[in-house]
Amino acid sequence: MAMLTNFVLLEKFEGYAILRIARPHRKNAMVPKMYGDISRHLREVSDDENIKVVVLTGTGEYFTSGADLSDSDQRKKGQNKKQQANHFRDCIETLIKYPKPIIVAVNGPAIGIGVTLLGLCDVVYATDDATFLTPFSRNGMTPEACSSYTFPKIMGYAKANEMLLFNRMFSAHEAYIAGLVTEVFPKEVFIAEVQKRVEELIDNPIKSLVYGKQLIRGPEIPLLLKVNDQELERLDERHQSGDMTLQREKFFEARKKIKEARKAKL
């Protein structure tokens, strides 16, 4: 069974569900309502006793290229910034408090939120051509999705700073060495290998999985919620700053030059 709502696809199978970011024509770039759809689908699956684990993945070549900086649909629809921020906040809080294991299958390049949310999930598998980039300072922004806490904890301050502050792109192998990725598979066998591990996992009793995650993650939930609040407060300031406006203008100008160069070659 499948349901497509604003580029987020939910598929239910025996014992597990797959949540797909399905906007391949835009490299799975995220618009605000997609965060709300992810939260809603996760809550639906959480209440389904037949689902033991959720797999989050992308459609096409990208896992996700992060926030869609060029999106104007929300302004056209009259959705205010507070509503947009609430979608994002709800998504992150849902991930923080989610009771069932979440497996992320990174099927290609991951940018921004596609990287930062990994620290809130339970297992991360990546294809060998996946890359991981969080260009926050380049865009006049700051860390999100509790990555200011989870990344130093996972990979140490030096590696976390390279990624979160210095805009360094990690390869799948580098992300694996840093501890952000659990396993890396060749692209041609990626889906089969992830499927194999999902089937092994759902053979376990649901209560053991839920109670085990609760013991591992539970004590940190209040702290993560506080970190999320602090990050969102700082991001709100960044969104109103001249820094972000300037960096966004640079982004669009650079993209314009790339398109013009491509046209000149035709």
Side-chain angles (χ1 to χ4, degrees):
M1 180 176 65
M3 179 167 54
L4 185 61
T5 307
N6 285 7
F7 314 115
V8 178
L9 179 67
L10 174 65
E11 300 171 276
K12 293 183 180 181
F13 302 93
E14 186 62 37
Y16 69 99
I18 298 179
L19 192 57
R20 298 183 189 276
I21 303 169
R23 202 182 176 216
H25 62 290
R26 294 293 298 172
K27 299 179 179 178
N28 293 330
M30 301 290 292
V31 293
K33 191 176 184 302
M34 290 170 69
Y35 298 115
D37 290 336
I38 289 173
S39 302
R40 178 168 52 82
H41 288 320
L42 283 173
R43 282 193 289 267
E44 176 186 338
V45 171
S46 177
D47 295 333
D48 190 332
E49 295 181 357
N50 295 316
I51 302 299
K52 297 181 179 181
V53 62
V54 180
V55 180
L56 176 63
T57 192
T59 303
E61 293 300 311
Y62 272 67
F63 176 55
T64 172
S65 56
D68 190 342
L69 298 181
S70 65
D71 177 64
S72 61
D73 288 344
Q74 303 304 322
R75 290 191 295 274
K76 292 177 182 177
K77 293 175 183 177
Q79 186 182 49
N80 62 43
K81 291 181 179 180
K82 185 176 181 180
Q83 288 174 311
Q84 296 179 32
N86 285 341
H87 283 314
F88 187 80
R89 178 187 295 276
D90 185 43
C91 182
I92 302 307
E93 290 184 352
T94 300
L95 289 171
I96 290 172
K97 296 183 285 188
Y98 204 67
K100 296 178 179 179
I102 299 177
I103 294 175
V104 185
V106 183
N107 57 294
I111 301 174
I113 186 63
V115 182
T116 54
L117 65 76
L118 300 179
L120 296 175
C121 299
D122 302 294
V123 176
V124 180
Y125 300 126
T127 184
D128 56 2
D129 65 348
T131 53
F132 302 81
L133 175 66
T134 55
F136 296 131
S137 56
R138 184 187 303 165
N139 292 329
M141 298 174 67
T142 48
E144 65 190 8
C146 301
S147 58
S148 62
Y149 172 78
T150 59
F151 278 26
K153 181 180 178 181
I154 291 169
M155 63 182 80
Y157 283 103
K159 287 295 182 184
N161 288 340
E162 273 195 307
M163 181 170 278
L164 295 175
L165 300 182
F166 303 151
N167 310 297
R168 183 170 177 270
M169 180 185 291
F170 281 34
S171 67
H173 179 69
E174 288 173 319
Y176 168 73
I177 295 299
L180 188 62
V181 168
T182 309
E183 284 189 87
V184 178
F185 303 111
K187 194 173 187 69
E188 59 271 19
V189 299
F190 179 65
I191 295 176
E193 291 294 337
V194 172
Q195 181 68 32
K196 183 191 303 182
R197 282 152 181 78
V198 169
E199 290 176 356
E200 291 173 352
L201 183 60
I202 63 174
D203 194 41
N204 299 306
I206 179 61
K207 288 187 177 179
S208 292
L209 296 173
V210 170
Y211 293 157
K213 177 171 178 174
Q214 188 179 75
L215 289 168
I216 294 168
R217 286 280 190 175
E220 283 191 322
I221 288 176
L223 174 59
L224 290 169
L225 291 171
K226 182 178 179 180
V227 170
N228 187 43
D229 286 341
Q230 293 172 336
E231 288 180 347
L232 290 174
E233 183 178 350
R234 177 53 62 194
L235 282 170
D236 182 58
E237 179 273 328
R238 291 284 79 206
H239 277 284
Q240 299 178 51
S241 72
D243 289 343
M244 188 172 177
T245 301
L246 177 61
Q247 294 306 108
R248 184 169 292 194
E249 288 174 354
K250 288 181 180 179
F251 168 80
F252 288 123
E253 183 62 29
R255 192 168 70 171
K256 180 181 177 181
K257 289 180 179 179
I258 291 173
K259 288 182 177 179
E260 290 174 349
R262 287 175 179 170
K263 288 182 180 180
K265 292 180 180 179
L266 297 177

